Amino acid sequence: MSTVTKYLVFGPQATLRRLPAKLFEHNEPKFLYTYNAPSGNDQIYVAVFEQFEKQINATITLTCVIECTNTRNRIEMKKSGGRMGFRGSSLSEDKNIESDIVDFIMDFSKRFGLSLQEEVDKKASPDQEEEA
């Protein structure tokens, strides 16, 4: 089971470039790294969001990588931290940072007419696994 969530956002270049700036303005990351490609107009943002859950006394971390090109934005989110098991698995009913980020991306896409698509990893068939 993979805990990486991937989205592709398609639309006009000017609107795609505004998405990361508005996201970081709406939900301020704990750490933010920006890379601008020397050739071309590509940008990569790596943001780390943290949320402390008082009920389970644990910190949940969400690493968000946004690749901006002229035609699309590719967003990868990896959630880590927290607690598993009987003590903390059923207490996280409040909105967490991951759902806030996903809600913002969906709302922004809908509001500005962007096409949002979730990228799903293709699983190998049993025949291909045996050959490998």
Side-chain angles (χ1 to χ4, degrees):
M1 184 174 124
S2 177
T3 59
V4 177
T5 309
K6 300 176 187 177
Y7 292 102
L8 293 173
V9 184
F10 299 96
Q13 179 181 356
T15 309
L16 289 173
R17 297 290 176 180
R18 280 197 326 227
L19 180 111
K22 291 294 182 183
L23 174 65
F24 302 143
E25 182 181 306
H26 185 263
N27 294 311
E28 188 173 343
K30 179 94 172 173
F31 302 102
L32 177 63
Y33 174 76
T34 305
Y35 173 77
N36 295 316
S39 61
N41 208 9
D42 298 347
Q43 296 175 320
I44 298 175
Y45 300 92
V46 178
V48 178
F49 299 93
E50 284 187 351
Q51 179 182 33
F52 180 74
E53 290 195 7
K54 196 171 190 177
Q55 291 179 330
I56 61 173
N57 194 25
T59 300
I60 294 178
T61 304
L62 180 73
T63 304
C64 182
V65 178
I66 303 175
E67 299 174 16
C68 296
T69 63
N70 292 335
T71 58
R72 66 174 169 82
N73 284 358
R74 185 167 189 265
I75 303 167
E76 287 189 26
M77 293 181 287
K78 170 75 171 142
K79 184 177 172 185
S80 60
R83 288 197 180 160
M84 299 298 290
F86 295 107
R87 184 167 184 219
S89 61
S90 63
L91 293 176
S92 59
E93 295 172 3
D94 295 335
K95 283 193 85 167
N96 60 17
I97 191 70
E98 183 178 24
S99 64
D100 286 345
I101 302 295
V102 170
D103 288 347
F104 180 85
I105 293 169
M106 288 182 176
D107 182 52
F108 187 91
S109 299
K110 191 180 294 184
R111 183 175 295 155
F112 292 102
L114 302 175
S115 297
L116 179 68
Q117 176 181 356
E118 186 169 0
E119 194 175 4
V120 180
D121 292 334
K122 296 178 183 175
K123 294 183 179 179
S125 66
D127 296 336
Q128 292 176 347
E129 289 178 2
E130 290 175 5
E131 293 175 7

